Amino acid sequence: MPSKRLYIHTIGCQMNVYDSEHMAMNLASLGYTPALSPEDADLVIVNTCSVRDKAEQKAFSILGRLEGLKRRRPGLIVGVAGCVAQQEGERILTRAPHVDIVIGTQAVQRLPAHVLKVEAERCRVVDLELTPGLESPHEPSPAAGGRGVSRFVTIMRGCDNFCSYCVVPHVRGREVSRPPESIVQEITALVAAGTREVTLLGQNVNSYGTKEGLCSFPELLARVSAVDGLLRIRFTTSHPKDLTRDLMESFARIQKLCPHIHLPVQSGSNRLLERMNRRYTREHYLDNVFKLRDTCPEIAITSDMIVGFPGETDADFVDTLDLVRNVEFDGLFAFMYSDRPHAPAARLSEKVPVHLKRERLHALLQLQESVTYKKNVALVGSVQEILAEGVSKKQTGGFAAERSAVQWTGRTPGNKIVNFHVGGGPDTFGTASAGTLVQVRIEKALAHSLWGAPENVDRPPEG
Ligand code: SAH
Ligand code: SF4
Ligand code: F3S
């Protein structure tokens, strides 16, 4: 079978990364091997995100660039997957006439069949079926689909929360949880292939299993933790309205569970939280933060925030800044509100002008930068346990340039990125050591990462 080349361009969240890995794995059975660029590929898939207008525009801009390529090489097959595909469906075929395949968010398993059809008939295919229950939303074990010390594992799909600004429930469908046996089986296979850390993915992991009567999320964590050879467990995302005492206590109880929670708050104003349909108050959120820190003092808390939601006043924004000052998040992702198709907030009047959104975003990010830096500085001098992931991709400023040695990268249990150097060239701390836990003394704090030196590296034997 002649080798065919596949290039996947992934935009969006970790769930899209996971889906792209599955697509690559499924297409390998048709003889597709990875291409280094779209120019070298016979099949290009753009896996899209629709969470904000900008992400959607990015998808169409990438598709636009593929048009010329397809003109030069008419045999090229172009596919669009993910959330914009689900949202726009057939319209993509009109807007981008060079597209051959449009598959929605629940059609990943059926992609190989569609590719075979297009290869044979040179036709165009659209598959937008959203039918949870008709088929298992997951196939076990993508272990063959890639390697890595740290991997994502989707444990549930869809969302039932309908926050008023959000497109996700409309493009990902209703919430469906995957059976614990299948999750544990997949993680066991990943660990056998070298994975040491998994991040369990869901839009709201706190409600894992409730609809289907499976085990609770804390019980799932305990079962995953029993997988031999797995060193660390993380998860994302947790909805503040469903954060249980049991889950909080898991941080103290389950040794492999990293002390980090991503707990998106979205706004510090009760008025806006209500309009956003978040179904918790600022006070409830702050109480969660207090309890989390009480149960697990070293826990790192990160969050998402939206600025410029329709009707947001200066006073609402002051509440947001006040909450950020109060909580001192370890990290914060802040976004300018963007109208989304199907999301009810798009129909609200009192839109905030873009210059004000920008101003607020800037003020919020500046505040958070000072908090993040302060927290990073506080770690200087401490010894942190880092899971060595691999050689660091980029030089991190002047401090790195002082070192001629190889830079490694990894994360603290609290998810802070640490680059560390080991003298003596690339073999000193060879690839065999990726996936090991290293004690690193933190020497320097940067804005978004830390620098350190290993305390005691088990060096590979000489010769
Ligand atoms: N399920 C996760 C988040 C999914 S989307 C949760 O509930 O937290 C990731 C983030 O994008 C959200 O937390 C929110 O901050 C942001 N977001 C979602 N829709 C948005 C919109 N219309 N405009 C701006 N930001 C948005
Ligand atoms: Fe969107 Fe809300 Fe669901 Fe998160 S919980 S995916 S923000 S609707
Ligand atoms: Fe984007 Fe879809 Fe994820 S909208 S954030 S890729 S669920």
Side-chain angles (χ1 to χ4, degrees), residues 11-16 48-51 83 167-168 171-172 203:
I11 311 168
C13 65
Q14 295 101 325
M15 217 166 266
N16 268 11
T48 60
C49 170
S50 169
V51 78
C83 297
V167 76
V168 172
V171 290
R172 287 269 171 185
Q203 298 300 345

Side-chain angles (χ1 to χ4, degrees), residues 376-396:
N376 283 351
V377 168
L379 291 176
V380 173
S382 71
V383 174
Q384 298 286 322
E385 187 169 76
I386 309 300
L387 179 63
E389 288 182 31
V391 174
S392 167
K393 281 197 196 97
K394 52 180 182 189
Q395 298 275 319
T396 329

Side-chain angles (χ1 to χ4, degrees), residues 214-251:
L214 302 169
C215 67
S216 70
F217 184 58
E219 278 161 9
L220 177 71
L221 287 172
R223 288 171 77 161
V224 170
S225 153
V227 173
D228 273 343
L230 182 69
L231 301 177
R232 286 178 167 185
I233 307 168
R234 301 181 185 278
F235 63 81
T236 195
T237 299
S238 206
H239 195 303
K241 78 174 161 54
D242 300 317
L243 182 57
T244 60
R245 188 43 106 173
D246 195 15
L247 182 55
M248 294 189 199
E249 283 166 3
S250 300
F251 286 107

Side-chain angles (χ1 to χ4, degrees), residues 357-407:
K357 284 198 236 182
R358 252 191 224 118
E359 229 170 74
R360 287 178 183 167
L361 183 69
H362 185 70
L364 181 58
L365 289 176
Q366 234 177 358
L367 169 61
Q368 181 57 40
E369 292 245 317
S370 63
V371 177
T372 310
Y373 185 63
K374 187 177 102 180
K375 292 208 163 202
N376 283 351
V377 168
L379 291 176
V380 173
S382 71
V383 174
Q384 298 286 322
E385 187 169 76
I386 309 300
L387 179 63
E389 288 182 31
V391 174
S392 167
K393 281 197 196 97
K394 52 180 182 189
Q395 298 275 319
T396 329
F399 191 74
E402 290 162 30
R403 313 275 176 178
S404 56
V406 173
Q407 295 162 35

Side-chain angles (χ1 to χ4, degrees), residues 24-239:
M25 183 188 75
N26 293 343
L27 289 167
S29 60
L30 302 189
Y32 281 94
T33 55
L36 291 176
S37 71
E39 285 73 22
D40 302 326
D42 303 287
L43 168 60
V44 178
I45 309 270
V46 186
N47 196 6
T48 60
C49 170
S50 169
V51 78
R52 281 169 293 277
D53 189 46
K54 240 190 181 163
E56 181 173 341
Q57 282 170 16
K58 186 172 174 190
F60 281 107
S61 132
I62 290 167
L63 278 178
R65 275 187 265 143
L66 292 173
E67 195 171 359
L69 193 61
K70 174 105 171 191
R71 220 176 294 126
R72 292 196 297 280
R73 299 218 337 260
L76 176 73
I77 301 175
V78 177
V80 187
C83 297
V84 176
Q86 187 71 50
Q87 177 191 300
E88 293 301 306
E90 300 247 350
R91 286 197 291 271
I92 292 180
L93 297 184
T94 325
R95 190 162 164 190
H98 57 294
V99 167
D100 304 284
I101 301 172
V102 177
I103 60 158
T105 52
Q106 288 180 21
V108 170
Q109 315 294 347
R110 298 186 291 275
L111 178 61
H114 299 325
V115 170
L116 276 178
K117 194 168 155 66
V118 174
E119 281 178 348
E121 301 171 23
R122 302 309 306 182
C123 55
R124 304 174 93 189
V125 177
V126 178
D127 178 355
L128 303 176
E129 215 171 292
L130 275 182
T131 49
L134 274 187
E135 62 171 333
S136 154
H138 310 268
E139 288 287 307
S141 186
R147 285 169 197 283
V149 168
S150 180
R151 297 285 299 270
F152 300 125
V153 174
T154 294
I155 62 162
M156 57 205 292
R157 292 188 178 275
C159 182
D160 290 349
N161 286 307
F162 293 96
C163 302
S164 66
Y165 50 80
C166 188
V167 76
V168 172
H170 308 279
V171 290
R172 287 269 171 185
R174 293 294 64 71
E175 197 174 286
V176 187
S177 296
R178 179 181 177 193
E181 299 74 27
S182 155
I183 296 166
V184 169
Q185 191 191 340
E186 176 173 339
I187 294 172
T188 307
L190 287 172
V191 170
T195 295
R196 294 291 169 262
E197 173 182 278
V198 290
T199 303
L200 308 180
L201 301 178
Q203 298 300 345
N204 178 14
V205 293
N206 300 339
S207 62
Y208 170 83
T210 36
K211 256 186 177 174
E212 292 84 0
L214 302 169
C215 67
S216 70
F217 184 58
E219 278 161 9
L220 177 71
L221 287 172
R223 288 171 77 161
V224 170
S225 153
V227 173
D228 273 343
L230 182 69
L231 301 177
R232 286 178 167 185
I233 307 168
R234 301 181 185 278
F235 63 81
T236 195
T237 299
S238 206
H239 195 303

